[in-house]
Amino acid sequence: MHPRSSLIARSGRCILLCAALFTAGAAADTPAEKEEWITLFNGRDLSGWTPKISHHALGDNFGNTFRVEDGLLKVRYDQYKSFDGKFGHLFYQEPYSYYRLVVEYRFVGEQAPGGPGDWALRNSGAMLHSQPPRTMERDQDFPISIEVQFLGGLGGGKARSTLNLCTPGTDVVYQGSIYPEHCLESASKTYDGDQWVRAEMLVLGSGQITHFVNGEKVLEYALPQFGGGTVSNFDPAAKPDGKLIEGGYISLQSESHPVDFRKVELLNLAGCMDHNASNYKRYYVKSVPESCVYAKGSKPAP
């Protein structure tokens, strides 16, 4: 069997846990059921986050693009003379593989002068399974990653879905085959104006990824892997085409339109799955035996 055919066949066996994981912990009666969410954005500063803006070195927050004001993580361009292709990404410090990620965002204001065009109006996103930021070239525009694209409505009754998929330097399997285009629209409603939108992503390693908007499932695909195009000035060593992507870094995008983030939280789904351990969680789906902690006198389950 051709390797790509093998990957497509595997997509039919992806773990179907979306409904259970999306509602797990509602009762949370025991320590094993209590969900331990990690607050990635603390509401005070950019602790734990590092910017990488195209044409600038890692860590250079050009023009104070990413800032925290009034308890919000804001993306702004008031110190730019022109956007001029300075696509930016704010990376969280730790990589993850199996998780639920919640991002609450809203679009505000006007697009930066010199923006890349109408497609970037009210456009931002969260990059999943990103390459390590230290491996990005200085002039690279986007990290090799899976992009969950956030789009705001443009008014006039025109439909414009959000939580779409875009694939800079990657491919995915959608409905049984490699999706051939760069972006795939979700089934979401249009969100006009400056309203807050709750985005949630369920990520199961190199298996299945599902997008939810305000609690409604809007898109599902599988087998994220290196491939495709639509990324420039990258190191070829960072893009081994055809290889599945098991995990990576999370980043928030600056793509020329101002956007606010008020919540960025993550529930890790990889951990100790031994019920004899003190840190066992019922909702874990990926076993990490070395993370298990045992009380004195306790032993690993046989």
Side-chain angles (χ1 to χ4, degrees):
M1 181 182 288
H2 189 279
R4 177 146 291 182
S5 298
S6 172
L7 294 177
I8 294 170
R10 182 180 160 190
S11 70
R13 300 191 294 271
C14 285
I15 305 170
L16 301 179
L17 297 173
C18 296
L21 288 171
F22 196 68
T23 59
D29 293 326
T30 69
E33 295 168 335
K34 182 177 174 57
E35 295 180 346
E36 295 185 351
W37 286 83
I38 304 167
T39 300
L40 304 189
F41 168 54
N42 63 22
R44 301 183 303 275
D45 54 37
L46 296 178
S47 296
W49 296 86
T50 301
K52 174 62 185 80
I53 297 173
S54 186
H55 311 304
H56 294 268
L58 178 65
D60 180 1
N61 190 13
F62 172 81
N64 198 25
T65 302
F66 301 100
R67 62 187 74 166
V68 178
E69 297 172 341
D70 305 319
L72 303 177
L73 197 168
K74 298 183 177 182
V75 178
R76 295 292 188 270
Y77 309 96
D78 50 296
Q79 297 180 29
Y80 284 52
K81 290 183 178 180
S82 175
F83 185 75
D84 195 26
K86 291 187 280 289
F87 296 102
H89 298 84
L90 185 67
F91 284 84
Y92 189 64
Q93 61 189 355
E94 295 181 35
Y96 291 95
S97 181
Y98 289 72
Y99 56 90
R100 287 166 58 188
L101 176 68
V102 170
V103 179
E104 294 184 357
Y105 72 90
R106 69 177 177 185
F107 290 101
V108 297
E110 302 296 327
Q111 187 181 29
D118 289 348
W119 64 266
L121 288 169
R122 292 181 171 263
N123 187 334
S124 185
M127 320 301 274
L128 314 179
H129 283 0
S130 289
Q131 68 183 105
R134 65 182 180 278
T135 67
M136 289 183 66
E137 297 293 305
R138 183 183 180 90
D139 294 337
Q140 189 172 333
D141 49 3
F142 302 99
I144 297 166
S145 58
I146 298 296
E147 177 185 348
V148 180
Q149 183 189 54
F150 303 157
L151 291 179
L154 302 178
K158 184 177 180 180
R160 197 178 195 224
S161 60
T162 189
L163 264 72
N164 303 321
L165 162 72
C166 294
T167 53
T170 55
D171 283 319
V172 301
V173 168
Y174 176 67
Q175 297 183 343
S177 61
I178 295 289
Y179 189 73
E181 305 297 332
H182 173 53
C183 291
L184 171 61
E185 290 188 358
S186 81
S188 87
K189 297 180 290 189
T190 300
Y191 294 88
D192 288 311
D194 296 352
Q195 63 181 301
W196 288 102
V197 178
R198 179 183 173 91
E200 181 163 354
M201 289 66 72
L202 171 60
V203 182
L204 300 177
S206 60
Q208 188 169 288
I209 299 176
T210 310
H211 299 183
F212 301 85
V213 180
N214 292 343
E216 297 181 1
K217 186 171 84 169
V218 297
L219 185 61
E220 189 171 81
Y221 49 92
L223 302 182
Q225 58 198 268
F226 297 101
T230 323
V231 58
S232 301
N233 303 315
F234 62 92
D235 180 355
K239 189 173 173 288
D241 287 1
K243 181 180 178 181
L244 290 174
I245 307 174
E246 180 70 11
Y249 289 81
I250 295 165
S251 66
L252 302 175
Q253 205 171 40
S254 65
E255 207 164 27
S256 79
H257 200 106
V259 59
D260 293 338
F261 300 98
R262 68 179 179 185
K263 177 181 288 188
V264 188
E265 295 182 344
L266 182 142
L267 181 69
N268 195 357
L269 300 178
C272 181
M273 297 182 69
D274 183 348
H275 64 272
N276 285 350
S278 60
N279 59 335
Y280 162 74
K281 290 293 184 181
R282 193 182 304 275
Y283 57 80
Y284 287 150
V285 299
K286 173 68 172 178
S287 178
V288 185
E290 61 271 23
S291 70
C292 291
V293 176
Y294 299 92
K296 187 175 181 180
S298 296
K299 296 181 180 180

